[in-house]
Amino acid sequence: MTTDLAVFLFLAAIAILAAISMLFARNSVYSALFLVLNLATVAVLYLLLNAAFIAMVQVTVYTGAIMVLFLFVIMLLGSQQAGTGPDLPWQMPVAITLGLALMATLVYALLGRPSLALASQAVLQGFGSPQAVGELLFSRYLLPFEATSVLLLAAMVGAIALTRDEPEGKPR
């Protein structure tokens, strides 16, 4: 077992445990902090792939900005305790079936085809650099990038319109 594989398996175990802890945490602040841990381990996995720029974007955008926003909303709404709802009888068998299917796929990918899963390939020069990401983003993925920006703009305008205070006596 190589050092990279051992570090990957260790980080993957931490990411999985953090995701499971996030799902089962009763306190929503703890759940958000487990999500921060999960996102940070994903950033380190990006570093293992020699994608330092993507790892820093992961930390800055998701672990930093998005999680601050989540925690702000949690604190603003004051809903730290998750309520327990009625259990649906079909949820547990479906969850177990999907979890077993995921584990079988993982075992097949790691053990069934070791030449593909564990092959060390040479990393291309500039892989994950800001220049490479920018070239892909503004050439091959230009349409999805612009569609996302329009969608975010529409969401921002909608949020402003929904939270705007109207003067009394004036209809909308």
Side-chain angles (χ1 to χ4, degrees):
M1 179 182 306
T2 64
T3 306
D4 286 345
L5 181 61
V7 171
F8 169 77
L9 292 175
F10 177 71
L11 289 172
I14 290 174
I16 291 170
L17 288 174
I20 290 171
S21 299
M22 178 195 66
L23 292 175
F24 289 114
R26 291 283 179 209
N27 191 324
S28 57
V29 174
Y30 292 159
S31 183
L33 292 175
F34 281 124
L35 183 57
V36 168
L37 177 63
N38 185 293
L39 293 172
T41 55
V42 169
V44 176
L45 290 174
Y46 284 139
L47 285 176
L48 285 177
L49 292 172
N50 294 326
F53 176 70
I54 299 172
M56 290 304 109
V57 169
Q58 171 83 10
V59 169
T60 305
V61 173
Y62 291 109
T63 308
I66 300 297
M67 289 314 301
V68 167
L69 179 67
F70 280 3
L71 287 172
F72 178 73
V73 169
I74 289 169
M75 296 298 179
L76 183 67
L77 296 178
S79 59
Q80 283 84 19
Q81 296 290 17
T84 57
D87 289 338
L88 299 175
W90 56 269
Q91 278 182 331
M92 187 60 74
V94 169
I96 290 172
T97 304
L98 291 176
L100 290 175
L102 178 65
M103 290 303 291
T105 304
L106 180 66
V107 167
Y108 175 72
L110 289 177
L111 301 178
R113 306 180 114 191
S115 62
L116 293 177
L118 302 176
S120 64
Q121 299 175 353
V123 177
L124 298 175
Q125 184 67 22
F127 174 76
S129 69
Q131 181 179 359
V133 171
E135 285 176 5
L136 272 176
L137 190 62
F138 291 115
S139 61
R140 185 173 178 187
Y141 298 107
L142 181 63
L143 184 63
F145 179 72
E146 292 299 327
T148 303
S149 67
V150 169
L151 181 66
L152 289 172
L153 177 65
M156 187 171 57
V157 168
I160 291 170
L162 287 174
T163 58
R164 191 179 73 202
D165 286 335
E166 291 288 330
E168 302 250 346
K170 272 191 154 182
R172 284 188 177 226

